Amino acid sequence: MSLYNADELEAPSWINQEFLEKVLTQYENNVDVEVVQFDLSPASMKGDHYASIMFRCKVQYRFDKNASVKHKSMIIKTLPMEEGFKREMLMESNLFETEIDMYAETLPKIEKILADCGEPTKLSAELIYYALEPHKVIIFEDLCESGYDTIRSRFLNEDEIKAVYQKLAKLHAVSYMLGHSEEHELVTKYQYGILSMDSPQLEQMMEDGLRNFIDMLSCHDEFDVYYQKVKAMKHLVNPNSKNLYKAYQQQQQSKGDIFVLNHGDFHMKNMMFRFNKSNQMEDCIMVDYQISCYAPSNIDLVYSQIMMLSSELRLKRHELMQYYFTEFIRILKKVNYQGDLPLYSDFQISGLKYRHFTIFLVSTFLPMVVGFIGKSAEDLKNVDIGKQFENPDMMSMVYRMPGFVEEVRKFMPILLKEGYLD
């Protein structure tokens, strides 16, 4: 089988010379462009992402026949052509609208605030073009041309994770400040995260994940205490996880909630990294802002603990959270935030308040991490990830993998001790 997702082996027919000339004419400030040649290829490998399809377009163009030829590499992101769950979800949602708005307005504003206070930070790739009709499409600069790349076949080490959390803290801190300003709508308008969506497929995924997790726990005598606890809190996991995403809408801003603009899908495959010649990380950039939402910061932070950290670093998550929080407060001070600074104790209280979200991620997403994250494209060559996600019988097998059982053996005693299973 291929190293690439099946729906990215052939680009939609509408991505043609006429379309690219329209894109580049707009990009070049309405100077007429002639495309001389272009080449389309998949922009990602299996396991890198799930919903949208993405293509790398290397294009040669000129302004007239006597002008020199210019070169541009772009990433084109659009909807799958094939009818099915992925296309239906993207068509019915506002995911493309959210991402366009983030790249066109909100992220540039946050970058400017950071630059003005002496913290110049690149939060995203340059936005080249976007449209919702006749096709939903977003086109970005190709970050690989600037030395960035994805990391596959390994997890991040501790120094790299800290660099990632430092970048996240900047996004969160400025959005926190904006949320308490007259310009609050710049961030508070993003009120509909992934669990705010009314999606039968998503609802089924959550129910299947929790059921499979409880079934797995019931098969091991050593997990009986976790089985009893999770079974007792089962009816609260999904509604309380959704309440986290709806907290701003429902005005549930109680003590401990720190409202920020969350990336929303904060894991390693949604980041690009640049390393120096000594193989040390110089920078990282988040990509895929489709499900960004204004809500308690638990969304990004708990999500990253489950989806981004290695098994070893997950056991050090409190130390890493304190590092993140220190950076968060540092940036709030640098941007001259005038309100009361959040407390780390409030931050911890919020984690327990939304503990059901942790259980949701452990029961539904951690099996995917063990099965797919940290594995190379070659390892995933013979796996149809899309079908595996959408097939309950295939997903249930992932819960029986020795690697996942071992993760449960390591992590559940900690959650029990800390009160996350109450």
Side-chain angles (χ1 to χ4, degrees):
M1 291 180 70
S2 172
L3 294 173
Y4 306 104
N5 295 306
D7 51 11
E8 293 175 327
L9 294 176
E10 183 177 352
S13 59
W14 55 265
I15 303 179
N16 53 27
Q17 180 173 342
E18 180 183 1
F19 171 73
L20 294 173
E21 287 178 346
K22 175 183 176 182
V23 168
L24 291 167
T25 294
Q26 178 177 306
Y27 178 70
E28 296 286 1
N29 297 316
N30 295 318
V31 177
D32 286 339
V33 164
E34 176 195 358
V35 169
V36 178
Q37 182 179 336
F38 69 93
D39 178 68
L40 288 165
S41 61
S44 59
M45 294 186 178
K46 277 186 175 180
D48 284 357
H49 69 103
Y50 172 63
S52 305
I53 57 174
M54 297 195 296
F55 301 92
R56 174 170 285 106
C57 181
K58 292 183 176 291
V59 60
Q60 300 177 32
Y61 64 101
R62 60 192 175 193
F63 300 128
D64 60 60
K65 291 184 178 180
N66 297 319
S68 58
V69 173
K70 300 184 72 172
H71 299 258
K72 189 75 178 173
S73 185
M74 308 179 294
I75 302 299
I76 302 176
K77 182 175 184 177
T78 188
L79 272 63
M81 294 179 288
E82 184 178 340
E83 295 294 333
F85 169 61
K86 291 199 293 183
R87 182 177 174 84
E88 181 182 337
M89 179 184 71
L90 291 168
M91 284 295 290
E92 293 179 353
S93 73
N94 66 340
L95 299 185
F96 267 74
E97 290 83 350
T98 294
E99 186 156 34
I100 287 169
D101 209 46
M102 284 287 293
Y103 276 90
E105 183 180 9
T106 304
L107 292 172
K109 174 70 174 181
I110 293 175
E111 286 183 351
K112 185 178 186 308
I113 291 171
L114 287 167
D116 288 347
C117 77
E119 293 281 341
T121 304
K122 187 176 175 69
L123 291 173
S124 65
E126 178 191 8
L127 179 63
I128 292 175
Y129 176 88
Y130 63 85
L132 296 174
E133 296 290 344
H135 307 283
K136 289 189 176 184
V137 59
I138 312 176
I139 303 181
F140 313 99
E141 68 169 314
D142 183 356
L143 288 170
C144 291
E145 297 292 297
S146 301
Y148 292 85
D149 204 350
T150 53
I151 291 180
R152 299 183 180 92
S153 75
R154 72 171 179 91
F155 285 93
L156 302 178
N157 63 39
E158 186 169 346
D159 288 339
E160 292 165 347
I161 283 289
K162 286 183 175 179
V164 167
Y165 279 132
Q166 185 179 59
K167 177 78 63 133
L168 182 70
K170 293 180 178 182
L171 170 67
H172 281 185
V174 177
S175 66
Y176 181 88
M177 182 267 290
L178 287 170
H180 291 81
S181 74
E182 293 180 355
E183 298 180 274
H184 69 88
E185 288 189 3
L186 193 68
V187 293
T188 59
K189 63 184 174 183
Y190 302 104
Q191 296 179 24
Y192 300 97
I194 190 67
L195 294 191
S196 303
M197 294 171 54
D198 184 17
S199 168
Q201 294 93 340
L202 183 62
E203 191 76 31
Q204 190 63 52
M205 183 190 78
M206 296 175 74
E207 291 178 5
D208 290 344
L210 198 54
R211 185 189 67 252
N212 286 329
F213 185 60
I214 291 173
D215 286 348
M216 184 279 293
L217 293 175
S218 70
C219 294
H220 299 266
D221 291 341
E222 64 178 303
F223 295 159
D224 184 62
V225 62
Y226 318 130
Y227 167 72
Q228 299 296 340
K229 290 279 190 178
V230 176
K231 185 179 178 182
M233 66 193 300
K234 175 183 175 181
H235 66 290
L236 294 173
V237 170
N238 290 357
N240 284 5
S241 295
K242 291 179 178 181
N243 285 340
L244 168 61
Y245 282 76
K246 298 176 180 178
Y248 183 77
Q249 301 168 46
Q250 298 172 349
Q251 295 299 305
Q252 295 178 350
Q253 301 187 50
S254 60
K255 189 173 179 61
D257 285 351
I258 299 174
F259 280 78
V260 302
L261 182 55
N262 290 271
H263 175 277
D265 196 11
F266 193 54
H267 61 81
M268 194 168 73
K269 296 300 179 71
N270 277 339
M271 301 203 71
M272 301 282 286
F273 304 89
R274 189 177 66 203
F275 291 85
N276 61 24
K277 293 181 180 179
S278 301
N279 207 30
Q280 294 177 320
M281 187 192 296
E282 288 185 334
D283 193 26
C284 57
I285 294 179
M286 290 169 270
V287 299
D288 200 354
Y289 285 90
Q290 288 186 113
I291 54 176
S292 298
C293 62
Y294 188 74
S297 58
N298 307 66
I299 290 176
D300 277 349
L301 296 170
V302 179
Y303 198 91
S304 67
Q305 291 172 26
I306 303 304
M307 295 289 287
M308 190 181 297
L309 299 185
S310 66
S311 179
E312 293 73 24
L313 287 182
R314 196 173 295 119
L315 302 182
K316 299 178 67 174
R317 74 192 197 286
H318 291 307
E319 178 183 327
L320 293 169
M321 291 302 97
Q322 193 161 36
Y323 176 84
Y324 153 85
F325 194 80
T326 300
E327 285 296 305
F328 175 74
I329 296 297
R330 182 181 72 83
I331 296 299
L332 275 180
K333 292 178 179 178
K334 286 206 74 171
V335 298
N336 199 29
Y337 173 64
Q338 295 297 305
D340 294 333
L341 292 172
L343 301 176
Y344 186 61
S345 56
D346 289 341
F347 175 74
Q348 292 178 301
I349 289 168
S350 186
L352 282 169
K353 174 185 174 183
Y354 294 111
R355 63 193 179 277
H356 299 93
F357 182 60
T358 298
I359 303 307
F360 159 62
L361 292 176
V362 169
S363 65
T364 305
F365 279 42
L366 186 56
M368 300 180 193
V369 173
V370 175
F372 308 119
I373 305 294
K375 289 188 167 58
S376 68
E378 187 65 37
D379 292 335
L380 299 173
K381 186 175 180 179
N382 296 316
V383 178
D384 190 326
I385 298 172
K387 288 184 178 178
Q388 184 129 7
F389 282 171
E390 296 165 26
N391 187 318
D393 293 331
M394 292 178 70
M395 274 307 299
S396 66
M397 296 171 59
V398 178
Y399 289 76
R400 311 291 172 164
M401 294 189 307
F404 178 63
V405 174
E406 183 59 28
E407 287 295 325
V408 170
R409 187 174 286 121
K410 288 180 181 178
F411 198 48
M412 292 300 282
I414 296 172
L415 295 181
L416 177 68
K417 185 188 303 183
E418 294 178 353
Y420 279 78
L421 304 185
D422 287 351

